[in-house]
Amino acid sequence: MPSFRQVGEKQLPHEIIFMAWSPKRDLIALVNKAGEILLHRLANIQRVWSLPPNENTGKDVTSMAWRPDGKILAFSLADTKRVVLCDVEKPETLHSFSVETPVSCMHWMEVTEENSFNATAKIFSEEKSDEILKLLGDVRLNALVLGGNSGHIEIYAYGMYKIATITEVFGSCIGLCLSSDLKSLAVVTELSTESTPEITYFQLDTSLLSEYLSEVTRMARKFTHISTLLQYLKLSLSCMCEAWEEILLQMDSRLTKFVQEKNTTTSVQDEFMQLLIWGKASPELQALLMNQLTVKGLKKLGQSIESSYSSIQKLVISHLQSGSEALLYHLSELKGMALWKQKYEPLGLNAKAIEDAITAVGSFILKANELLQVIDSSMKNFKAFFRWLYVAMLRMSEDHVLPELNKMTQKDITFVADFLTEHFNEAPELYNQKGKYFNVERVGQYLKDEDEILMSPPNTEGNQWFNFLQSSTHLKDSPLLFPYYPEKSLHFMKRQMEGMIDLCLEKPADIIGQSVQQKRCLTLYHASKSEESCPRLISLPFLWNDKSQNLHYVMFNMLDSSPSKVFILRQPTDLSWSTNNGIRAVEFANSNCSTIENQETSWYSCLDAHFYEDDIVTIVLKENSEQEGKDRILAQLPLSLAFCDEQENQFSWDASKSLEEQCRDIPTRTVYLESQWRVLENMKAHYVSVNGIRKVACVLSSNLRHIRVFEMDEDDAENEEEEEDESQSQDVTAEDEELNHSIADVQTSSADVTEESLDS
């Protein structure tokens, strides 16, 4: 019986360039060359959903990683320089952000230190929003590490807030791993040289993150709240822009056309004033109202304005104001944290920068309140104006006017006259700027992200509070009062607010990044130009494991120097370094006979590998003398086999030379394939992706279109089934015994009843 049970096989229409199992579920994410993200379930490799590429995010996917709880999938795009976080439940973007350089690799880790749980449990209990809980995930801190093409490394807490920008390495990152205790970051880079690319191993000290774990966690969660609220405000503004309709510009455009076509010297304002006072319109104004605007068009315009303004007003009150106030609350808490200098000053939290951000948010709230006042005033003005104009147009057409519409008091007339005086003035400078003479509709200028200056700012003349503030030098400069910018647009205030918040968010990332120090820089080898032309799915020959608390391993394959050997570097995560016993060379062999004398051995080279457990690697092998049509092998390699004999010849690493130059002196172990391997028949296998928690593996062929899925621990599954069968049989036996007892009891009771009846 072959090892590992095959549970699925599929031919795919597009070539697969990345694949990764979910850490917690029987789900595998695939990325094809078309830029499509696919999510498949283990059972029959059934597709759950697909996320096609779009122009907003991009289509050139360069890396992919699961959040440790398996609820969010992250992927990076080179064409748009963006990182996208996708919900596992449905193909939708939860969050996305821009990066300076294209991401070449990523790694999403979770802090596993037990003391971090107590430090963050209270913080977690204070958060109630479902959206926040989905983005932040579990109580413990998790971090998404991004490696760029130019050696630029960024660490994002919860995949959202940047807590470190690192520039301590050179070359393009092709593999990285942040240790689970946050003390060490290991990186492998590829530096292009004149001859061949040079592969280098770096180990960086990130102990500041470990020392201030609870502070970093609290700060990161607070900053993640702030980043989410900024996205929320941006979405609210977009909804407000959608609620505003282009039809509202009809009044301005038709009045401008009227100015350009009329032959009289009378102004538009005077034309409407004469209609209001005398009830008679000039032939030109009558033609404008009856032919261009029409009674039906006026009614439709009034309904559109009322509906649009009401929707915008609700969005401002329910979303824009509430989101801004929540932002103000979180920034105020952050300022309190920054004032605790002993704990937060080493992390770069600056109280002055946060105070500036709070001031900018306050000014944005004032501008939102101004928009509410403009909407309220415009709705009243338009309602009175349209009611009067509707009656006037009915009279022009000699239609019947209802008595309730015909009633108009002197107060109503004065109100309409004030509206005409304020809004119906011709403005040549506005025509030069916007191509129209009028700005009767004044809500749209707040919603369009075009200009920083309002075309028709609110009139502050006669405002007693405004005049009082302007005349009082002490209050004007008081930090208790937010500055007010009457001539600035809502979008300008939003951009100013975002800029100030970005300043206070960016500094900690720079300070923490500067604290990272390079502890090791070791040249491994020069990459071969004859390596496979198809893209690497994972970091092999540079493979990482961060699950072990004490060790992590790096696997690589120096093809030109030793094509049949895989080199395993064992490195403690506590930054201690040993010049011996840290590296082994492994050869793979398959013995067909048990006796050494008659042994016929086939030697294999490793095509791909992935960590199955802390010290077990799943590998794909091919024979060195592979002939056409020869089957390849899927096997499990316990890393303990490579380091089982600590007393063998020790290797002293000369750091002045590359490892490639010293490879002949590295101790070599021959690993024979025994029970944990399987021949992959009728498949030119090349890549593998595994999940040790779910005990599954997915193998991909060299043409990138043929995949097979295996359950790796079949024996355990059979034992579980046997145990279930035994328990079920025991349950059945127990039920039978109970049934027999009950039957006996019934028979006894019936016999007793019969005896009693006979006696009676």
Side-chain angles (χ1 to χ4, degrees), residues 467-518:
N467 294 335
F468 173 66
L469 289 181
Q470 292 297 106
S471 60
S472 175
T473 55
H474 299 289
L475 285 178
K476 189 191 301 183
D477 301 327
S478 172
L480 300 175
L481 297 176
F482 298 130
Y484 172 59
Y485 304 90
E487 295 186 352
K488 298 296 183 180
S489 68
L490 184 65
H491 279 276
F492 172 82
M493 302 309 301
K494 179 182 78 77
R495 284 193 292 269
Q496 178 177 279
M497 175 183 67
E498 290 173 340
M500 291 297 182
I501 292 176
D502 286 343
L503 284 177
C504 71
L505 296 184
E506 288 172 359
K507 192 171 182 181
D510 295 334
I511 296 297
I512 296 174
Q514 291 170 11
S515 73
V516 176
Q517 297 180 355
Q518 186 185 122

Side-chain angles (χ1 to χ4, degrees), residues 674-694:
E674 296 178 355
S675 59
Q676 294 295 308
W677 64 279
R678 176 188 177 120
V679 175
L680 301 171
E681 300 174 349
N682 304 320
M683 182 183 190
K684 197 173 181 180
H686 199 113
Y687 303 103
V688 65
S689 178
V690 296
N691 182 347
I693 298 175
R694 309 301 296 186

